């Protein structure tokens, strides 16, 4: 028994913030942002929108492309680090909006690796026979936890959502997933403003990052993760048809592609248009390349992400 992706969807909020807009807000330049990160613009959630609104739009598009009715979904799982409320979780909010009843609905927080974590959990639940059809979403309103006066972080992030419908199948499918974490790095990348930490609550919901140090650990960790994925699946370098990386920084993506010997024409890049949308970035990129016809049925995909925690994850998928 495998799980297979039978539909994809995505949603980006209307408002666009360009590097030139940011030049007017902090001491930065379009040139600095483009050369250091590859980012040119990002989408920003509307004042009256929430993460579950973004998730809902992406989910409707994924259900539509799968030809699946909400009533046929028996698991709703959302990777997010920017929920609407402390509870109910975004999975429940989304379940209610879609009119799905009764099956499990939850969200999990693994920062930028949230979608890979969610995909892996949903895949295991399908393989285990607990679930037949799952809606798996990555959705974020990162702009809500950004310090818009901090030039080192505010230029990097954007908002959006991506979703897939997974279905039990005899054919692969999600062939392999791998997840990891190392909490020793908690202070290199975090967002304060949680409810139980009285001291850090004073910092009120802002993202803090030591970018340079994150960069080095991200490159090293992703390289050893993709080596392990190839080895565990007895795949040669160059065997991957499409790399769908987390879109944090073009330089990190290039290092991973080089390690895999995947040419850059075979890497799905949305970082210029979307920035780092955290848990939404991988399903957003997947949807873009499915809809524009680059990814075809039967292609071998490698999805990967790295994020705060630190957390990381990969999935090998026969599309
Ligand atoms: N505009 C202009 N200058 C900026 C700037 C900005 N937006 N942000 C930082 N700088 C300055 C720094 O102050 C520093 O100045 P100094 O040399 O006078 O001290 C200089 O640029 C270089 O900073 P540094 O941090 O060494 O740059 P970098 O090459 O490491 O690039 C990042 C910075 C953040 C783009 C890069 O480290 C990165 O992408 N890290 C990983 C971030 C990430 O992916 N996080 C999410 C993980 S999921």
């Amino acid at each position: 028994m495998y799980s297979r992706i039978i539909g994809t969807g995505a949603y980006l909020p209307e408002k666009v913030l360009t590097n030139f807009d940011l030049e007017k807000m902090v001491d930065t330049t379009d040139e600095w942002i483009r050369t250091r990160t590859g980012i040119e613009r990002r989408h920003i959630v509307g004042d009256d929108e929430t993460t579950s609104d973004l998730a809902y739009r992406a989910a409707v598009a994924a259900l539509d492309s799968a030809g699946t009715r909400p009533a046929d979904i028996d698991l709703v799982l959302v990777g997010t680090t920017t929920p609407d409320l402390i509870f109910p979780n975004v999975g429940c909010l989304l379940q209610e909006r879609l009119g799905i009843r009764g099956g499990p609905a939850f969200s999990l927080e693994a920062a930028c690796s949230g979608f890979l974590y969610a995909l892996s959990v949903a895949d295991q639940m399908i393989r285990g026979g607990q679930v037949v059809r799952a809606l798996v979403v990555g959705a974020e309103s990162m702009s809500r936890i950004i310090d818009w006066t901090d030039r080192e972080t505010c230029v990097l992030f954007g908002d959006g959502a991506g979703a897939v419908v997974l279905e039990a199948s005899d054919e692969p499918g999600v062939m392999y997933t791998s997840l990891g974490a190392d909490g020793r790095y908690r202070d290199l990348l975090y967002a304060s403003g949680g409810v139980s930490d009285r001291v850090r609550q004073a910092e009120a919901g802002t993202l803090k990052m030591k970018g340079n140090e994150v960069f080095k650990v991200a490159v090293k960790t992703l390289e050893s993760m993709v080596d392990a994925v190839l080895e565990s699946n007895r795949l040669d370098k160059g065997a991957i048809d499409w790399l769908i990386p987390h879109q944090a920084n073009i330089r990190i993506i290039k290092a991973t592609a080089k390690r895999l010997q995947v040419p850059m024409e075979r890497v799905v890049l949305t970082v210029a248009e979307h920035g780092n949308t955290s848990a939404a970035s991988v399903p957003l990129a997947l949807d873009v390349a499915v809809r524009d016809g680059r990814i075809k049925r039967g292609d071998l995909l490698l999805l990967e992400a790295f994020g705060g925690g630190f957390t990381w994850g990969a999935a090998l998928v026969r599309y």
Side-chain angles (χ1 to χ4, degrees):
M1 175 79 80
Y2 294 95
S3 73
R4 246 184 98 230
I5 296 176
I6 60 162
T8 66
Y11 177 71
L12 290 159
E14 236 165 77
K15 184 178 170 190
V16 173
L17 189 71
T18 67
N19 292 350
F20 297 105
D21 296 326
L22 283 162
E23 284 183 355
K24 295 177 203 132
M25 296 162 62
V26 287
D27 180 15
T28 192
T29 61
D30 167 61
E31 208 260 335
W32 191 96
I33 303 169
R34 265 190 300 108
T35 52
R36 300 284 175 130
T37 71
I39 300 167
E40 294 172 21
R41 57 184 63 82
R42 68 287 289 144
H43 291 251
I44 303 291
V45 65
D47 287 342
D48 53 356
E49 268 179 322
T50 63
T51 296
S52 70
D53 292 329
L54 309 184
Y56 173 73
R57 302 272 205 127
V60 167
L63 288 166
D64 194 46
S65 86
T68 303
R69 293 172 311 153
D72 297 327
I73 295 291
D74 40 21
L75 165 69
V76 179
L77 180 43
V78 183
T80 186
T81 190
T82 48
D84 300 32
L85 302 167
I86 294 166
F87 70 86
N89 69 66
V90 178
C92 286
L93 302 179
L94 179 59
Q95 191 214 40
E96 191 275 326
R97 284 279 293 277
L98 290 166
I100 301 170
R101 299 283 176 265
F106 61 104
S107 55
L108 59 79
E109 40 166 331
C112 299
S113 313
F115 178 77
L116 267 305
Y117 268 63
L119 187 72
S120 180
V121 170
D123 173 56
Q124 298 297 328
M125 288 176 78
I126 288 175
R127 281 173 192 252
Q130 231 178 319
V131 161
V132 176
R133 242 165 263 105
L135 179 63
V136 185
V137 185
E140 301 279 16
S141 306
M142 295 303 285
S143 62
R144 299 278 202 252
I145 56 166
I146 295 300
D147 173 356
W148 289 102
T149 64
D150 176 11
R151 71 173 184 174
E152 298 193 6
T153 53
C154 76
V155 301
L156 303 175
F157 294 91
D159 302 331
V164 301
V165 178
L166 275 187
E167 185 178 68
S169 163
D170 297 336
E171 313 261 307
V174 177
M175 297 167 66
Y176 171 90
T177 61
S178 156
L179 303 176
D182 190 340
R184 285 175 302 175
Y185 294 106
R186 52 179 279 177
D187 292 329
L188 293 190
L189 176 55
Y190 69 91
S192 54
V195 288
S196 68
D197 185 333
R198 284 268 183 233
V199 180
R200 284 190 169 177
Q201 223 175 13
E203 296 168 21
T206 43
L207 185 147
K208 312 257 186 240
M209 179 171 70
K210 298 199 172 92
N212 210 306
E213 290 171 61
V214 174
F215 187 94
K216 288 182 213 147
V217 187
V219 169
K220 265 178 62 185
T221 307
L222 288 170
E223 284 181 349
S224 45
M225 179 174 69
V226 297
D227 283 353
V229 172
L230 294 185
E231 203 185 308
S232 305
N233 291 278
R234 296 197 177 79
L235 289 171
D236 293 331
K237 291 202 169 191
I240 304 297
D241 292 317
W242 290 102
L243 174 63
I244 299 134
H246 172 46
Q247 312 280 326
N249 184 314
I250 187 73
R251 293 183 291 145
I252 299 177
I253 295 172
K254 280 185 176 164
T256 311
K258 190 169 168 207
R259 185 70 162 215
L260 283 163
Q261 293 180 12
V262 173
M264 286 310 286
E265 312 84 73
R266 290 260 153 193
V267 181
V268 180
L269 293 175
T270 54
V271 64
E273 309 294 316
H274 301 172
N276 180 349
T277 57
S278 186
S281 96
V282 170
L284 263 167
L286 175 66
D287 184 65
V288 166
V290 165
R291 280 176 196 264
D292 70 19
R294 273 179 290 170
I295 294 179
K296 304 214 167 18
R297 284 285 165 206
D299 284 351
L300 187 61
L301 319 181
L302 180 60
L303 284 51
E304 51 84 350
F306 178 91
F310 288 145
T311 55
W312 54 89
L316 194 62
V317 175
R318 181 69 68 187
Y319 186 69

